[in-house]
Structures are given as structure tokens and as C-alpha cells.
Amino acid sequence: MTAADGSPVPAEPPAHPATDPHLGLGARLNWLRAGVLGANDGIVSTAGLVVGVAGATDSKSALLASGVAGLLAGSLSMASGEYVSVSTQRDTEKAALALERRELAETPEAEFEELVGLYQQEGLSPPTARKVAEELTAADALAAHARTELGINPDDLVKPWSAAIASFVAFSVGALLPLLAIVLPPRQWRVPVTVVSVLIALVVTGHVSARLGGAPSRRAMLRNVIGGAVAMAVTYVVGTFVGAVD
């Protein structure tokens, strides 16, 4: 590339993976959205539990015990479920990579032509697609096929333990709000404070999750608030009925 006076213009260096602010942005947004939804689950499920218990008894120790039990049970359940789910996904990715590695070893020419065809389907002209395939195959054939054909980055497979820990933390943080709201205020204010606190938190999590997903926030907030309100109303009525029977 040359300037107007004919002097060479130095090419801009490629963005360094460690400093490129856009690298992995989609993955980070997915993790953040999953964290917000996990916190939302913690808020709703724990709020429903403690409000239901509050309908049956005004014992602070019972409320605290049920809230802590709900927090631990919910967070551990989410963490274990996420670990199993992501482990299955990781095993699937590893199996797909192993198959692709074997195909590259046994039929490299056919795999190369397949890669060229995939780039042509993306809109590249045949000569450009072949040139790109040649250069990427020379650099790392498995990575080229994994990213283009499978949509997998072999250097960045999903991490089950990271997903499990993130789910545990997100649920626990969300569950803390109704737990504290039900045990800290005076007896007559426990349920009203919990209901108001939870509904405000659901407005926030609904807004954040909608913005992260690029969806209208008003509808998401309304769904969140209605779902949380119904959950607390149902469990409170059931708790009151059980308490009256006892």
C-alpha cells in the first residue's frame, strides 16, 4: 500500500488477542446473561419459599432455616445441572474434533475441498476461497476445519467447572435478597418488605437480561414481575392454609 506521494504506508498491526476488546465479546455477553438469569432464578425460587413459610409461621428461625436451605439446595442444584450439561457439550466437542482429526489424516484432499466449498458458501470467490483455505490449512488445518465446519474453537472448549461455579454464585447472590428481606425487618413488615424488594429486583434483572439480549425491556420486566408475584402469592396462600391446618 502506498501514499499519494508514492511512499510506502506501513500496514496496521493485527489486534493482539489479549488486548482486542471485541475478542470473545459474544461469549462474555452469554456468560453475563446466564449470570443475570441465574440470579433471577435465585430471587424467585427463594422468595417463593420464604414467603410461603411466612404464611405458615412467623418464627424467625424457621424462616432463616428455610431460606438458607433453599439457597443451598437451589445453588447446588443449578451448579450440578450446569456441570453435567456443559460436560456433555464438552464431550461432544471433543468427539467432533477427534473425528475431524481422523478425517484430516485419512482424506486430507477431500477435507481441503470441503473447506474451499464452505468458504465459497460464505460468499468468497472460488480463487479467494482456495487461497484462504490453503493459508489456513498450512497454519492449522484442524483449527480451520473446527471453526468453519463445526463452529468450535479447539483452543477454547467449554469449561464445566467454570459454568458450575458461575451458576452457584449467581443463584446464591440472587437468593440472598429475599432471605435477608424476610429475616431482617420487624415481624409485621417481613412479607411486605420481601415482596417489594423482590419485585424491584425482578424489574432490574428483567431490564438487564433484555438489554443483553437486544430485546424490548418493558415486556421482559413485566414477565419477570408477574412471574415473581404469582409465585409469591401462590406459596403464601398455600403456606397460610398449611399453617391454619396445623
Side-chain angles (χ1 to χ4, degrees):
M1 185 176 180
T2 58
D5 59 359
S7 60
V9 176
E12 293 184 2
H16 192 280
T19 58
D20 186 355
H22 299 97
L23 187 65
L25 179 59
R28 290 197 297 271
L29 287 177
N30 285 336
W31 276 101
L32 183 56
R33 184 160 54 247
V36 172
L37 294 176
N40 192 84
D41 287 344
I43 293 170
V44 174
S45 60
T46 307
L49 176 62
V50 297
V51 168
V53 174
T57 178
D58 58 2
S59 169
K60 187 173 183 178
S61 60
L63 291 171
L64 180 60
S66 62
V68 171
L71 184 154
L72 290 175
S75 57
L76 290 171
S77 175
M78 284 204 59
S80 62
E82 193 73 8
Y83 180 82
V84 170
S85 174
V86 177
S87 293
T88 302
Q89 181 182 346
R90 184 182 179 89
D91 291 342
T92 302
E93 291 179 346
K94 292 173 72 173
L97 289 173
L99 176 61
E100 194 65 38
R101 190 179 291 109
R102 185 167 65 251
E103 291 176 345
L104 285 170
E106 295 174 353
T107 57
E109 296 82 4
E111 289 298 303
F112 176 79
E113 293 301 328
E114 182 182 19
L115 189 62
V116 173
L118 290 172
Y119 289 137
Q120 287 182 238
Q121 292 176 15
E122 292 294 325
L124 297 181
S125 64
T128 303
R130 186 165 296 275
K131 180 64 174 176
V132 170
E134 288 174 352
E135 293 189 5
L136 291 179
T137 298
D140 190 335
L142 178 62
H145 280 268
R147 291 191 178 97
T148 306
E149 185 178 346
L150 306 175
I152 298 173
N153 182 353
D155 297 324
D156 189 24
L157 299 181
V158 292
K159 300 174 177 60
W161 278 111
S162 297
I165 293 171
S167 295
F168 180 89
V169 172
F171 188 97
S172 299
V173 169
L176 276 175
L177 172 67
L179 175 58
L180 294 177
I182 203 72
V183 299
L184 293 182
R187 180 176 303 175
Q188 66 273 20
W189 289 101
R190 286 173 182 166
V191 172
V193 168
T194 302
V195 170
V196 172
S197 302
V198 166
L199 294 182
I200 292 174
L202 292 178
V203 169
V204 173
T205 56
H207 175 73
V208 172
S209 62
R211 293 298 297 270
L212 290 173
S217 59
R218 182 176 299 179
R219 187 178 303 171
M221 291 187 294
L222 185 61
R223 283 197 302 261
N224 249 17
V225 169
I226 291 175
V230 169
M232 288 186 289
V234 169
T235 55
Y236 184 78
V237 170
V238 172
T240 302
F241 175 76
V242 172
V245 171
D246 186 41

